[in-house]
C-alpha cells in the first residue's frame, strides 16, 4: 500500500506542465490536493481507528477509490507501444514546415512559447523547463533553406534577450548536427524587431515575409509589422504539417486516450449512490494520476446537469443515484499528448436488477443513448480521405435530426487532437473547405442535451487512414448503459 501511494505522489509532484495557460496553476494545485486526499484515504482505509464522516462514510469513499485504482491497474497494456518522440522527428517536422514555407514563398515561420513551440522544439522531454511568454519577445524562427539540387531543409534560429541566451542553450532543443543553437540576441535597451530584421537571418531582404503562428500575441505581430516585416497567417500547407500525425504520435494518442477510457470503465463499477459530482471527479483524477497521467480537465455531471455539455458553476454537489445518467468528459496528458473522451452511463443498482428501475425517464434515456451511438457510428463511417469536415458532422447530425432530437445537438461534432486537445481541422457543418487526409486524428463526439432532464454524449478518437476506414484510437467504443 505504501508503495502504491508513493507512485501516486510522484505522478503528481513530478508532473511537468506541458504548456502555459490561465488554468494551469489551478490544475496543478488540484493535482496535488487530489494526491494528498488519496494518500489520506488509503491510509485511513487500513486504520482500525477510522470512524468515517457524516452523510458519506470516508471508509466507503476510500474503498471506492481503491477499487477504481485496483481495477485500472489490472491491465496497462495500452502503454506498451507509447514512446517519447525522438529527436530526429522534431527535425523532420521542421523540414516539412520549411518545405511548406518554400512552396508559399515565405521567408520564415515565427512562433512564441506554446503548443506549436513545443511541437517543433521538443514536447516529450520530462525535464523541460517551462518558458512563460512575457513582455520580452522570445521567438523561434524556422527558415527554408533551398539547396542546389532544389531540396528544402529547415534552418532554426531564435530571438532572445541577451541575459536569457544561456537558458535557451540549456533547453535541449534537437538540432541537426548538435552544433550550438543559432541565437540572435538583443539588449533590453534595443528594439528587438529591428535587431531581428538587421540580423544575419534576413541579410539582403528588404521586407521579409513571416508566417505568424496562430498562438502569437497581437503585440508581437504588430511589433514585427511596424518594423519592416510583412506578416501573414497560417497556410493550409503549413497547418497540414501538424495535422498529419506520425506513427509515434498515433501511438501516444492511442495510449493516453485508451487509458483515459479505461480509467472511466475501471471506476464505474465501483461507484455507489450518494457520491457527489465533485467526489467522483477526485476519484477519477486520482485513478489517472496512479499511473503517471497528468491531469488536464475533468467534467462530471449527473442527470439534468448533463444537459450542460461543459457543466457550470452550479454543478459539483449533486448526488449520484442508481437512476442518474452520468456524463463524464475528461482529458489527460501523457508524454506531451492529450486525451479527450466522454462516456454516458448508469451505475450498478444495489439489488443487481438493472431492468427494474422505476425511473420514469428510463425508456427515453435508453433511446437517446442509442441514437447518439448510431450518430457516432455514422460519423466514423464518413471519416474518409477527401471527405469534407462538414460532411462528417452532417452524417452524425442527420441521424439525430431524423430521430427528432436535432434541437438537442447543440455543438459541432468534433475537432482535431494532438499535443493540444482542440486542433484544426474542426468538424462542423459549415467547414466545407477543409478536407480529411490520412494521418489526421479527430474527436467524434455527438450528443443530445435535454434541459431539465439529462444529457448523453459519446466521444472517441479516430485516425483517418489511407484505406478509407477510420481507425478507433480509444480501444473500445461504448456498448451499453452499463458498459461505457
Amino acid at each position: 500500500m505504501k508503495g502504491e501511494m508513493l507512485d501516486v505522489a510522484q505522478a503528481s509532484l513530478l508532473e511537468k506542465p506541458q504548456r502555459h495557460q490561465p488554468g494551469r496553476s489551478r490544475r496543478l494545485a488540484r493535482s496535488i490536493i487530489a494526491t494528498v486526499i488519496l494518500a489520506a484515504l488509503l491510509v485511513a482505509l487500513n486504520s482500525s481507528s477510522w470512524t468515517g464522516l457524516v452523510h458519506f462514510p470516508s471508509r466507503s469513499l476510500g474503498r471506492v477509490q481503491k477499487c477504481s485504482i485496483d481495477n485500472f491497474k489490472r491491465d496497462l497494456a495500452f502503454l506498451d507501444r507509447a514512446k517519447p518522440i525522438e529527436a530526429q522527428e522534431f527535425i523532420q517536422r521542421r523540414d516539412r514546415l520549411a518545405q511548406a514555407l518554400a512552396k508559399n514563398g515565405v521567408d520564415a515561420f515565427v512562433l512564441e512559447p506554446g503548443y506549436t513551440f513545443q511541437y517543433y522544439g521538443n514536447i516529450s522531454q520530462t525535464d523541460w523547463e517551462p518558458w512563460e511568454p512575457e513582455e520580452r519577445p522570445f521567438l523561434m524562427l524556422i527558415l527554408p533553406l533551398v539547396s542546389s539540387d532544389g531540396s528544402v531543409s529547415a534552418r532554426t534560429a531564435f530571438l532572445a534577450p541577451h541575459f536569457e541566451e544561456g537558458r535557451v542553450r540549456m533547453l535541449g532543443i534537437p538540432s541537426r548536427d548538435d552544433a550550438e543553437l543559432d541565437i540572435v540576441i538583443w539588449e533590453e535597451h534595443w528594439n528587438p524587431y529591428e535587431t531581428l530584421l538587421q540580423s544575419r537571418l534576413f541579410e539582403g531582404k528588404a521586407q521579409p515575409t513571416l508566417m505568424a503562428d496562430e498562438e502569437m500575441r497581437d503585440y508581437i505581430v504588430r511589433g514585427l509589422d511596424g518594423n519592416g516585416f510583412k506578416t501573414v497567417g497560417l497556410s493550409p500547407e503549413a497547418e497540414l504539417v501538424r495535422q498529419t500525425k506520425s506513427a509515434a504520435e498515433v501511438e501516444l494518442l492511442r495510449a493516453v486516450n485508451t487509458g483515459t477510457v479505461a480509467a472511466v470503465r475501471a471506476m464505474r463499477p465501483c461507484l455507489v449512490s450518494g457520491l457527489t459530482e465533485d467526489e467522483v471527479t477526485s476519484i477519477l483524477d486520482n485513478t489517472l494520476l496512479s499511473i503517471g497521467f497528468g491531469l488536464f480537465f475533468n467534467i462530471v455531471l449527473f442527470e439534468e446537469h448533463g444537459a450542460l455539455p461543459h457543466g457550470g458553476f452550479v454543478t459539483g454537489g449533486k448526488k449520484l443515484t442508481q437512476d442518474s445518467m452520468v456524463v463524464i468528459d475528461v482529458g489527460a496528458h501523457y508524454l506531451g499528448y492529450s486525451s479527450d473522451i466522454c462516456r454516458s452511463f448508469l451505475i450498478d443498482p444495489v439489488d443487481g436488477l438493472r431492468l427494474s428501475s422505476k425511473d420514469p425517464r428510463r425508456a427515453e434515456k435508453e433511446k437517446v443513448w442509442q441514437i447518439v451511438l448510431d450518430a457516432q457510428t455514422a460519423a466514423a463511417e464518413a471519416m474518409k480521405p477527401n471527405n469534407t469536415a462538414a460532411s462528417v458532422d452532417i452524417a452524425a447530425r442527420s441521424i439525430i435530426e431524423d430521430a427528432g432530437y436535432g434541437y438537442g445537438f447543440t455543438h459541432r461534432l468534433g475537432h482535431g487532437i494532438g499535443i493540444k486537445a482542440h486542433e484544426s481541422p474542426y468538424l462542423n457543418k459549415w467547414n466545407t473547405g477543409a478536407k480529411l487526409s490520412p494521418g489526421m486524428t479527430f474527436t467524434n463526439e455527438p450528443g443530445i442535451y435535454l434541459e431539465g432532464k439529462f444529457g448523453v454524449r459519446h466521444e472517441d478518437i479516430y485516425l483517418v487512414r489511407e484505406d478509407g476506414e477510420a481507425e478507433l484510437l480509444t480501444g473500445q467504443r461504448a456498448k451499453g448503459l452499463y458498459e461505457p
Side-chain angles (χ1 to χ4, degrees), residues 61-254:
L61 183 56
R63 285 175 176 165
V64 172
Q65 181 68 81
K66 185 176 185 301
C67 170
S68 180
I69 291 177
D70 287 349
N71 286 349
F72 188 37
K73 288 189 172 183
R74 286 195 181 104
D75 184 3
L76 301 180
F78 53 82
L79 296 176
D80 290 348
R81 294 193 293 178
K83 309 296 180 185
I85 301 297
E86 295 182 352
Q88 186 60 32
E89 184 163 325
F90 295 102
I91 295 171
Q92 292 169 352
R93 291 172 180 179
R94 299 200 293 265
D95 283 346
R96 289 170 55 208
L97 177 61
Q99 291 156 15
L101 297 176
K103 182 177 182 179
N104 295 149
V106 172
D107 295 303
F109 185 84
V110 61
L111 56 154
E112 287 192 273
Y115 278 115
T116 311
F117 189 102
Q118 293 169 0
Y119 177 80
Y120 288 112
N122 187 357
I123 59 173
S124 294
Q125 59 184 49
T126 57
D127 58 346
W128 180 274
E129 179 185 3
W131 196 300
E132 187 78 50
E134 54 181 34
E135 75 280 4
R136 301 179 183 93
F138 167 53
L139 307 177
M140 176 190 286
L141 296 103
I142 300 171
L143 304 87
L145 291 180
V146 183
S147 67
S148 58
D149 63 2
S151 62
V152 179
S153 60
R155 175 185 184 182
T156 306
F158 299 86
L159 174 71
H162 193 181
F163 77 97
E164 296 277 37
E165 181 181 3
R167 184 181 176 203
V168 177
R169 297 192 187 282
M170 293 173 64
L171 289 177
I173 297 171
S175 60
R176 189 175 303 279
D177 55 9
D178 294 326
E180 285 197 348
L181 296 181
D182 189 356
I183 305 175
V184 174
I185 61 172
W186 59 280
E187 304 291 352
E188 293 204 69
H189 56 282
W190 295 356
N191 181 324
Y193 311 108
E194 285 184 359
T195 302
L196 181 62
L197 181 66
Q198 296 167 10
S199 73
R200 57 193 176 278
L201 301 180
F202 300 105
E203 188 173 356
K205 294 184 181 294
Q207 187 183 30
T209 299
L210 302 182
M211 184 178 291
D213 179 55
E214 62 184 357
E215 295 180 348
M216 288 277 288
R217 291 173 294 175
D218 178 66
Y219 88 89
I220 299 285
V221 176
R222 285 188 286 110
L224 293 166
D225 277 334
N227 287 274
F229 291 98
K230 175 185 176 182
T231 60
V232 296
L234 289 178
S235 68
E237 292 82 3
E239 282 195 290
L240 189 60
V241 174
R242 188 163 138 192
Q243 290 170 350
T244 306
K245 305 302 188 288
S246 69
E249 289 183 285
V250 169
E251 292 308 324
L252 286 168
L253 287 168
R254 190 195 311 276

